[in-house]
Structure formats: structure tokens, C-alpha cells
């Protein structure tokens, strides 16, 4: 019987190969071969060596990247040779605000008193008491201040070095997590090495750590990378019980921490939940494990709601509505045989049900939960995606920020020169086509994503399975596909790594060897004058970015802050920016006194700005908003009889001298005292 059945089986395999038949045939041949006694020990040792080398490479990559950032930061700013005021000036914009609250916590007599002063803060913005911890997500600063004092670091290291050291350390963890994720996906730690190489080479597009250290994303994204790594490991089918438990705990901790560190984290997790939902719908992953991930989302949301001073934004977030809809749909789902026609119809109904329930629940939550609707965010998204047009200064100013601009030609050129973009596109096409193929068979009917671009491209280059998929489509038969896939998954990343080393490693070394200098004497002189000459109770008005620096370097009260999550602060920013518009001296005076400002600071860089991007200069945006410049055809142009305030106030003639008295100036800044007694003359 065996001899008669043997030949037909071999003919069927040649005619129409099937992976299951091949595997069974291989297993039969392997069973016929006697296994040496030392084989299990050898396999165990080989596996241990592979894991050990991979873990060592992952940790080393993270540590080396953190040390590289520290050395580069020292060389760029000459940080150790600077005085405290000059160091603090390197924190600009919203970064200055975050670090200033870290300083306030260290100055507080106790941790409890420091937290109270931050949650009832009335010494930062004039005429406004804010809960700075909730509004600005200051949990990193609270943790850093506790660690600095509890570990006795105040006797060893300066506060600023401790602070930036934590952030650089987190970036090392970020890189390590990306390494591990790529390793888990491809099965080889070579993919992790390639991910790290691409991440560092393209760091202009992968991170803003070099320019704005205290940004919330620099604290939060390392935890998100850990969550992605844990999620990737947790969803693997061949994971043992202990590994699965470890991944679950790490995923739970990193999800919650990520949510606490960044106010926009739940939007990113919402996109992740959508991806998991689609994988579950098309049966590409185990439903039970995906359901457990949903539970982690819910737990993190409610725990975050309680510890973030009952933050209503988490209750009305789309993430909670989606997860609640998914859980309800799970309860209503019928147990039918997988792959049957009825099961496919039920999946389609389930998809429609989840979408409908998500929208309905979100509307209901917003009706019954008191919350401040972030209307400016919705308007911003409408304008960003071309669904609407606006002349609003704040919307257009946000759209002009570099981090929110559409990718430029230089961006694509940089990614192409490092060979990242071509391989990413190739891998993405293969993955998408493979996923669409699986779905069809089953149904028959510029600064967060680039790190994961590096990871996905490295995974594809180093994954034998992806090479096999490509050869299958090409119907390659001249060379054995499995052997060729194994060779290419080792050879291609090695060649890429050597080429990257040859081209970019000398550049990295040059950056570390070159001693740069952060030179801003005008700002130093301004801050020194404020600390020496201005009254302690004085309130300063000016651009939000400069106000952040004043809050950090002097501690004086300001009229506005470089924060964009509060409608009142956004309105303040727009009103204060009117000092660069074509408005009368009386209008500007009324605006400034309405916020109890005592001093006005005019920046020459903004007043005489020569922007490279058309229509993105502050004065152009103000002219568009005030109707002094035509934005589109058909717009009504209103001519202003007043000159630009920032120019006119420097000339020192009436009526400007009646409202403002110049008390200090240098090449970059002009400081005016706002007069309290005015003789209104024309």
C-alpha cells in the first residue's frame, strides 16, 4: 500500500505545492532519522546564545544612543561651561514652561506643598488660576523632582543634568523597544540593529529631542514603544505562559504610563484599537487576546480619569466609546463555525454594529459628561485636511508650524539617501497585498510614525517569510525559495548596514567632535535686566514663546503661555500678537491693560520677520485675520489707516508715547512700560 501510494503523492506536490503537505512530508522524513542525544542541549544552547546576544545588542544600542544624545547636547550648547541663566535659555517655548515647574517643585518646602501650588497656580498667568498639573500634564516633572530628592542626587548632580539625563535615558529605552519589536516581528536581531541605525541616521525626522528636551512626546513615546513591543510579543501564537504573562503586565504598565504622560495619548491608542479591531474582524489574530487588550484600555482610561483630577476628556474620548462598543458587540456575538458563510455575514454585521455603537456612545457621553469641547482641534483638523478654509490667526499659525507641515522634498530625499524609504515602500506593499489576500480569502466578498517606518522596513528586509511571499508572487523556481530567502534575509541587511556605516558613521563622529556654541547675549541681557530692574509684581506681555522663557528664567508673571490645549490661552495669544498688526496704539493699550500687563516686549525678529514660507509670517497671518491682506479671490480688503504697531512704537511720537514709555532695548528686544495715566491725544 505504501509503495503504491508513494508516487502519486510526489506528483501532486510537484504539480500544486501546499505548505501543509510539505511540512507533513518533512516531519515524516525527520521522524525516520535518529536524533542524537546531545541535540536538545545543542538547540537549547543555540537558542539561549541567540537571545543573549540579541538582548545584549538591544540594551547596548539604547545605552549608546543615550550617551550619544548627551555628548551631542554638550557639544551643541557647550552646556557644562554655561551659567545657569544661559543653560535655561536653551529651553525655549513650551519646553521652558515644563522645566520651570520642575524648578518650582524643587524649591517647594515639601512635595505636598509643591503639588498644591501647581494645582492652584495663580503666579504664572495674570488674572487666571490654573491647575498646571492637569492642564500641562506635569507628571514627568513631579516624578523627576521626587526622584532627584529621594535618591540624594541633589548632593551629586545639578538639577538640570538630572532632568535631561532622565529624558535621554528614556530615549535609550525608546530605541531598545524599537529594536525588540523589530526582532519579535522578524525573528532575527539583525532587524533590530538595522532599525536602530535607520532611527539614528534619520533622527531629524524621528525625534525632536535635540531641540526641545522637555516636550511631552519625549517623555511619553518611549512608553508607547514599550507598549507596542509588549503587544507584539503578547499577540504571538507561540509564546509560553510566562512570556505571555510578562508581556501582559508590561503592556498594562506602559499603556497606563503613556496615558498619564501625554494628554493626546488616548488618540494614538484609539488608532491602535482600530487596528486591533480590524485584525480581529478578519481573524488575523486571536480574539481572546485582543479582548484582553481592550480591558487594559478601559482600566487605563478609568484609572487615568481618577488620578488626572477626574479629567472629563478621557470619558468623552473616542477610545472609550470604541472599546465599550467592541465589548458590547463581543457579548452579542453568536458562536458559529469559523469560515462558514453565516460567520462571514455575522462579521460584517458586527463591523457595522461596532461603528454605529461607537458614534452613538460618544455622542451620549458628550451629552451627559460636562467637558470643555476642544473646538479649535476639530476646526484645525478640518482645515488641515482641506475640508474647510479659515482666516483665523490661531488656526493658520498652528498650520504654519514646522512639525505640522506637509513633508518637503528634502524629507523624502533624506529618507531615500539612507535607503529607508525604498525598502519601506517595498515592505509596505508586500504586507498590504498579503493582508488583502488573506482578507479576500476569508471573506470572498513630520515626528510620531517615522520610528515605526524604520522598524517595519527593517522587519521586512530581515524576514525570510516576507522574502518567501515575494518569491511566491514572482513564481521563482530556478533557485530553492526557502534557501534563497534565508540567504537574502541575512545578506541584504548586512549590505545595507555596511553601506550605512561607511556613509553616515563619519558624519556622526564629526558631529560629536565639532564644538558648537549657543550664543544669545541679547536674551541673556533681557533676562538680567528683568531680574534687576522690574518690580516683583510686574506682569509682562509679548510673544508666547518669549513669555515661556521669562517664566523660567525670572519667575515673573506673564500674560500668555505657549500652550495650545486651552481656548482661553489661545485667545490670549492671538490678542497679544496684535502688537505686530496694523492696529492703533489705543487698541493695543486696551488689549494689554485688560490682562493687567505692566510691560510690553517687542521682538525685532518677529516685527521684521522674513519668512521662507509665504503667508506664514506672524504679521501676514494677523493681516489676513484682520482683513488687511487678501487671502483668496473675492475677499474684501480693508485698508488700515495705522502703521504696523511694532514699527510705529519705536519712533517715539504721539500718540504712542502717551501710552508706552521705552525703558530698555538692545539689538533684539524693545521693552516698554505701559503707562497708567494717559492723556488721550490724537
Amino acid at each position: 500500500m505504501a509503495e503504491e501510494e508513494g508516487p502519486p503523492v510526489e506528483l501532486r506536490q510537484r504539480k500544486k505545492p501546499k505548505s501543509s503537505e510539505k511540512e507533513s512530508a518533512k516531519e515524516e522524513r525527520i521522524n525516520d532519522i535518529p536524533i542524537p542525544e546531545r541535540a536538545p542541549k545543542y538547540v537549547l544552547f543555540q537558542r539561549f546564545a541567540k537571545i543573549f546576544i540579541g538582548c545584549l545588542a538591544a540594551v547596548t544600542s539604547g545605552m549608546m544612543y543615550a550617551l550619544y544624545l548627551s555628548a551631542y547636547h554638550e557639544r551643541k550648547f557647550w552646556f557644562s561651561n554655561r551659567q545657569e541663566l544661559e543653560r535655561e535659555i536653551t529651553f525655549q517655548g513650551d519646553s521652558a514652561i515644563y522645566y520651570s515647574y520642575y524648578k518650582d517643585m524643587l524649591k517647594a518646602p515639601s512635595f505636598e506643598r509643591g503639588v498644591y501650588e501647581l494645582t492652584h497656580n495663580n503666579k504664572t498667568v495674570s488674572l487666571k488660576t490654573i491647575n498646571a498639573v492637569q492642564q500641562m500634564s506635569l507628571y514627568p516633572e513631579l516624578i523627576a523632582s521626587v526622584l532627584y530628592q529621594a535618591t540624594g542626587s541633589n548632593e551629586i548632580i545639578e538639577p538640570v543634568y538630572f532632568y535631561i539625563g532622565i529624558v535621554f535615558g528614556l530615549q535609550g529605552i525608546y530605541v531598545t523597544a524599537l529594536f525588540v519589536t523589530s526582532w519579535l516581528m522578524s525573528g532575527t536581531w539583525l532587524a533590530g540593529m538595522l532599525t536602530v541605525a535607520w532611527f539614528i541616521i534619520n533622527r531629524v525626522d524621528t525625534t525632536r529631542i535635540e531641540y526641545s528636551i522637555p516636550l511631552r512626546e519625549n517623555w511619553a513615546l518611549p512608553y508607547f514603544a514599550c507598549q507596542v513591543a509588549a503587544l507584539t510579543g503578547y499577540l504571538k501564537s507561540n509564546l509560553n505562559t510566562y512570556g505571555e504573562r510578562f508581556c501582559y503586565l508590561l503592556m498594562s504598565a506602559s499603556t497606563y504610563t503613556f496615558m498619564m504622560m501625554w494628554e493626546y495619548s488616548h488618540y494614538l491608542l484609539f488608532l491602535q484599537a482600530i487596528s486591533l479591531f480590524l485584525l480581529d474582524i478578519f481573524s488575523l489574530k486571536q480574539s481572546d487576546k485582543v479582548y484582553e487588550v481592550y480591558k487594559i484600555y478601559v482600566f487605563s482610561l478609568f484609572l487615568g480619569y481618577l488620578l488626572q483630577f477626574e479629567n472629563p476628556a478621557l470619558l468623552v474620548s473616542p477610545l472609550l466609546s470604541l472599546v465599550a462598543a467592541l465589548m458590547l458587540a463581543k457579548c452579542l456575538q453568536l458562536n458559529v463555525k469559523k469560515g462558514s458563510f453565516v460567520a462571514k455575514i455575522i462579521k460584517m454585521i458586527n463591523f457595522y454594529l461596532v461603528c454605529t455603537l461607537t458614534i452613538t456612545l460618544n455622542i451620549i457621553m458628550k451629552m451627559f459628561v460636562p467637558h470643555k469641547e476642544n473646538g479649535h482641534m476639530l476646526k484645525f483638523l478640518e482645515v488641515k485636511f482641506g475640508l474647510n478654509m479659515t482666516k483665523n490667526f490661531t488656526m493658520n499659525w498652528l498650520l504654519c508650524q514646522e512639525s505640522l507641515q506637509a513633508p518637503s522634498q528634502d524629507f523624502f530625499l533624506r529618507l531615500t539617501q539612507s535607503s529607508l524609504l525604498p525598502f519601506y515602500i517595498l515592505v509596505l506593499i508586500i504586507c498590504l497585498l498579503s493582508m488583502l489576500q488573506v482578507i479576500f480569502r476569508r471573506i470572498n466578498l513630520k515626528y510620531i510614525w517615522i520610528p515605526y517606518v524604520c522598524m517595519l522596513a527593517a522587519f521586512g528586509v530581515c524576514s525570510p517569510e516576507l522574502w518567501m511571499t515575494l518569491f511566491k508572487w514572482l513564481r521563482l523556481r530556478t533557485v530553492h525559495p526557502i534557501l534563497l530567502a534565508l540567504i537574502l534575509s541575512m545578506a541584504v541587511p548586512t549590505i545595507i548596514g555596511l553601506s550605512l556605516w561607511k556613509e553616515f558613521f563619519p558624519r556622526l563622529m564629526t558631529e560629536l567632535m565639532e564644538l558648537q556654541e549657543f550664543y544669545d547675549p541679547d536674551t541673556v541681557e533681557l533676562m538680567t535686566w528683568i531680574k534687576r530692574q522690574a518690580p516683583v509684581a510686574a506682569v509682562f506681555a509679548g510673544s508666547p514663546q518669549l513669555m515661556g522663557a521669562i517664566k523660567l528664567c525670572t519667575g515673573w508673571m506673564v500674560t500668555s503661555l505657549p500652550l495650545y490645549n486651552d481656548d482661553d490661552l489661545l485667545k490670549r495669544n492671538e490678542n497679544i500678537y496684535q502688537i505686530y498688526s496694523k492696529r492703533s496704539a489705543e487698541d493695543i493699550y486696551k488689549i494689554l491693560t485688560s490682562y493687567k500687563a505692566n510691560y510690553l516686549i517687542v521682538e525685532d525678529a518677529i516685527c521684521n520677520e522674513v519668512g521662507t514660507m509665504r503667508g506664514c509670517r506672524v504679521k501676514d497671518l494677523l493681516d489676513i485675520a484682520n482683513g488687511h491682506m487678501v487671502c483668496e479671490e473675492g475677499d474684501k480688503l480693508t485698508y488700515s489707516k495705522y502703521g504696523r504697531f511694532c514699527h510705529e512704537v519705536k519712533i517715539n511720537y504721539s500718540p504712542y508715547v502717551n501710552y508706552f514709555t521705552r525703558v530698555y532695548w538692545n539689538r533684539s528686544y524693545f521693552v516698554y512700560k505701559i503707562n497708567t495715566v494717559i492723556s488721550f491725544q490724537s
Side-chain angles (χ1 to χ4, degrees), residues 389-447:
M389 296 293 292
T390 183
K391 297 180 182 178
N392 182 270
F393 168 80
T394 301
M395 294 296 106
N396 289 325
W397 186 81
L398 288 173
L399 288 168
C400 284
Q401 298 307 298
E402 184 180 357
S403 58
L404 297 175
Q405 288 293 313
S408 62
Q409 292 182 352
D410 292 338
F411 168 80
F412 294 106
L413 182 62
R414 286 194 301 270
L415 297 189
T416 303
Q417 287 177 339
S418 63
S419 71
L420 173 60
L421 188 60
F423 283 107
Y424 171 72
I425 293 175
L426 175 63
V427 171
L428 189 64
I429 290 173
I430 296 174
C431 290
L432 289 176
L433 291 177
S434 299
M435 187 175 67
L436 291 174
Q437 186 180 20
V438 172
I439 292 171
F440 179 76
R441 284 178 178 176
R442 292 176 183 269
I443 297 181
N444 295 328
L445 302 168
K446 172 154 148 339
Y447 280 120

Side-chain angles (χ1 to χ4, degrees), residues 232-245:
T232 304
Y234 181 72
L235 293 179
K236 290 181 74 70
S237 56
N238 58 346
L239 195 66
N240 58 42
T241 305
Y242 295 105
E244 184 176 304
R245 190 175 301 172

Side-chain angles (χ1 to χ4, degrees), residues 120-384:
H120 302 79
N121 187 280
N122 58 2
K123 298 179 181 179
T124 299
V125 184
S126 61
L127 302 178
K128 191 175 179 68
T129 300
I130 60 175
N131 183 342
V133 177
Q134 178 187 9
Q135 192 162 342
M136 303 178 198
S137 300
L138 295 180
Y139 296 97
E141 283 66 35
L142 297 183
I143 296 171
S145 63
V146 169
L147 291 175
Y148 182 71
Q149 294 175 333
T151 58
S153 300
N154 52 347
E155 301 176 358
I156 305 172
I157 189 173
E158 296 179 54
V160 64
Y161 282 108
F162 185 83
Y163 184 87
I164 64 177
I166 292 178
V167 183
F168 290 157
L170 285 173
Q171 299 309 301
I173 295 174
Y174 192 2
V175 165
T176 300
L178 292 174
F179 184 110
V180 172
T181 306
S182 188
W183 181 11
L184 289 171
M185 292 173 64
S186 64
T188 172
W189 51 266
L190 280 177
M193 296 293 290
L194 193 56
T195 300
V196 173
W198 269 329
F199 180 90
I200 296 175
I201 290 169
N202 297 282
R203 68 186 186 283
V204 175
D205 305 299
T206 57
T207 178
R208 292 194 289 171
I209 187 67
E210 294 179 10
Y211 309 100
S212 303
I213 293 175
L215 287 181
R216 300 302 84 179
E217 65 193 58
N218 293 332
W219 287 89
L221 291 180
Y223 293 102
F224 180 66
C226 291
Q227 192 259 7
V228 172
L231 178 62
T232 304
Y234 181 72
L235 293 179
K236 290 181 74 70
S237 56
N238 58 346
L239 195 66
N240 58 42
T241 305
Y242 295 105
E244 184 176 304
R245 190 175 301 172
F246 172 77
C247 289
Y248 183 83
L249 293 175
L250 178 60
M251 183 169 48
S252 302
S254 55
T255 301
Y256 171 70
T257 308
F258 174 56
M259 196 170 292
M260 293 293 291
M261 293 290 174
W262 199 19
E263 59 184 314
Y264 300 117
S265 58
H266 55 93
Y267 293 112
L268 203 56
L269 293 173
F270 171 68
L271 297 178
Q272 188 184 77
I274 292 177
S275 303
L276 290 174
F277 167 56
L278 294 176
L279 291 175
D280 188 24
I281 279 289
F282 300 124
S283 300
L284 299 180
K285 286 296 176 185
Q286 301 118 321
S287 297
D288 294 337
K289 286 189 174 182
V290 173
Y291 188 68
E292 291 298 321
V293 178
Y294 296 155
K295 290 181 181 178
I296 292 176
Y297 290 150
V298 174
F299 172 78
S300 300
L301 280 168
F302 281 107
L303 190 59
Y305 169 76
L306 294 175
L307 295 182
Q308 289 185 10
F309 305 92
E310 299 183 356
N311 185 6
L314 296 180
L315 293 184
V316 299
S317 70
L319 175 62
L320 181 60
S321 302
L322 174 62
V323 174
L326 289 168
M327 289 186 168
L328 286 173
K330 179 79 173 179
C331 296
L332 298 174
Q333 194 170 354
L334 299 175
N335 292 324
V336 294
K337 186 179 180 181
K338 290 184 178 181
S340 63
F341 179 77
V342 177
K344 296 168 187 174
I345 296 297
I346 289 177
K347 281 189 177 292
M348 293 186 63
I349 296 173
N350 185 49
F351 179 83
Y352 174 77
L353 180 64
V354 169
C355 294
T356 307
L357 278 175
T358 301
I359 298 172
T360 305
L361 289 173
N362 194 253
I363 294 173
I364 294 173
M365 292 296 288
K366 288 183 177 180
M367 289 175 57
F368 290 98
V369 177
H371 69 288
K372 290 183 179 179
E373 183 68 56
N374 288 332
H376 64 277
M377 289 298 296
L378 297 176
K379 293 177 183 177
F380 170 77
L381 293 175
E382 289 179 0
V383 177
K384 178 66 178 176

Side-chain angles (χ1 to χ4, degrees), residues 557-610:
M557 192 176 291
V558 295
T559 56
S560 58
L561 291 175
L563 299 173
Y564 316 110
N565 58 354
D566 183 89
D567 291 332
D568 180 60
L569 287 176
L570 287 173
K571 188 63 179 176
R572 280 176 176 246
N573 293 346
E574 182 177 351
N575 289 338
I576 299 299
Y577 264 128
Q578 295 298 323
I579 62 178
Y580 300 104
S581 68
K582 298 176 181 179
R583 300 279 293 270
S584 67
E586 183 179 355
D587 288 345
I588 301 299
Y589 178 81
K590 288 180 179 179
I591 290 173
L592 296 175
T593 53
S594 67
Y595 296 120
K596 301 297 181 183
N598 305 118
Y599 291 89
L600 168 65
I601 303 178
V602 175
E603 296 174 64
D604 200 55
I606 299 178
C607 192
N608 299 317
E609 182 180 7
V610 182

Side-chain angles (χ1 to χ4, degrees), residues 417-538:
Q417 287 177 339
S418 63
S419 71
L420 173 60
L421 188 60
F423 283 107
Y424 171 72
I425 293 175
L426 175 63
V427 171
L428 189 64
I429 290 173
I430 296 174
C431 290
L432 289 176
L433 291 177
S434 299
M435 187 175 67
L436 291 174
Q437 186 180 20
V438 172
I439 292 171
F440 179 76
R441 284 178 178 176
R442 292 176 183 269
I443 297 181
N444 295 328
L445 302 168
K446 172 154 148 339
Y447 280 120
I448 284 180
W449 300 116
I450 298 298
Y452 297 95
V453 171
C454 300
M455 184 189 68
L456 186 63
F459 146 72
V461 169
C462 301
S463 173
E465 289 81 6
L466 222 62
W467 287 108
M468 282 290 297
T469 304
L470 180 61
F471 297 152
K472 184 179 179 181
W473 292 345
L474 297 176
R475 299 181 182 276
L476 185 65
R477 294 180 180 178
T478 55
V479 184
H480 200 288
I482 298 178
L483 179 62
L484 185 60
L486 290 172
I487 294 174
L488 289 179
S489 64
M490 296 288 288
V492 172
T494 303
I495 294 171
I496 294 173
L498 291 175
S499 64
L500 293 178
W501 177 277
K502 181 180 179 181
E503 183 175 355
F504 292 98
F505 183 74
R507 299 185 190 180
L508 296 177
M509 291 298 101
T510 303
E511 290 177 352
L512 293 180
M513 296 300 294
E514 183 182 359
L515 182 62
Q516 304 178 41
E517 185 175 0
F518 182 77
Y519 186 69
D520 192 2
D522 293 344
T523 305
V524 173
E525 291 174 6
L526 173 65
M527 300 303 169
T528 304
W529 181 87
I530 292 174
K531 295 174 74 173
R532 293 178 178 176
Q533 302 296 329
V536 177

